[in-house]
Amino acid sequence: MSETPHVPPPPPPGGSYTPPPPSSPAGGPQNSERTIFLVLSYLGIFCLIPLLAKKDDPEVQWHAKNGLALFIAELIWVAIRIAFIFIRIPMFGCGMAAIGCVVWIGFLALSIMGIIKAVNGQRFRIPVLTDMAEKM
């Protein structure tokens, strides 16, 4: 009697076939604690929690440093906005308010993209900020 390799059964007829989920990049199932730390990495000052608590996980550390660089960029933007409060140029306030809304939407989009990529086991490179984060 010869051994034949195990062949998975064909998909059920008539419907859509959902293949089994792929394994996580680490080889085992991704635990919820690690996912929480990855999400916290991109939530402003909360990036310090995974940065300090998960020193043994290089992937969480990478995302925490990337989130820290994004948070520092947000703080720099706040400092710029505060500095421009003291500059009195006619019609400058309205333009600065519009630019401020666009920039905050950009920061929000970068945070959401970082969270989505991190939870899916990928890395999201923010052009200038990720380079700074990798030097930390």
Side-chain angles (χ1 to χ4, degrees), residues 76-97 99-100:
I76 291 171
W77 175 247
V78 168
I80 291 170
R81 291 288 306 265
I82 290 172
F84 278 120
I85 287 174
F86 300 107
I87 298 175
R88 300 282 183 209
I89 301 173
M91 301 299 288
F92 186 71
C94 293
M96 203 53 193
I99 291 171

Side-chain angles (χ1 to χ4, degrees), residues 101-116:
C101 288
V102 171
V103 170
W104 282 119
I105 290 171
F107 281 131
L108 179 64
L110 289 173
S111 294
I112 291 172
M113 286 297 298
I115 290 170
I116 291 171

Side-chain angles (χ1 to χ4, degrees), residues 17-80:
Y17 174 67
T18 306
S23 63
S24 69
Q30 191 152 2
N31 62 14
S32 61
E33 178 184 304
R34 187 169 190 256
T35 303
I36 290 170
F37 281 117
L38 288 171
V39 170
L40 285 175
S41 296
Y42 291 98
L43 295 180
I45 195 147
F46 294 117
C47 68
L48 295 175
I49 295 171
L51 193 62
L52 299 173
K54 281 293 201 179
K55 293 186 180 203
D56 59 332
D57 191 340
E59 192 67 18
V60 171
Q61 284 291 302
W62 188 91
H63 286 286
K65 288 178 183 177
N66 207 28
L68 180 62
L70 184 61
F71 178 60
I72 291 171
E74 290 177 27
L75 290 178
I76 291 171
W77 175 247
V78 168
I80 291 170

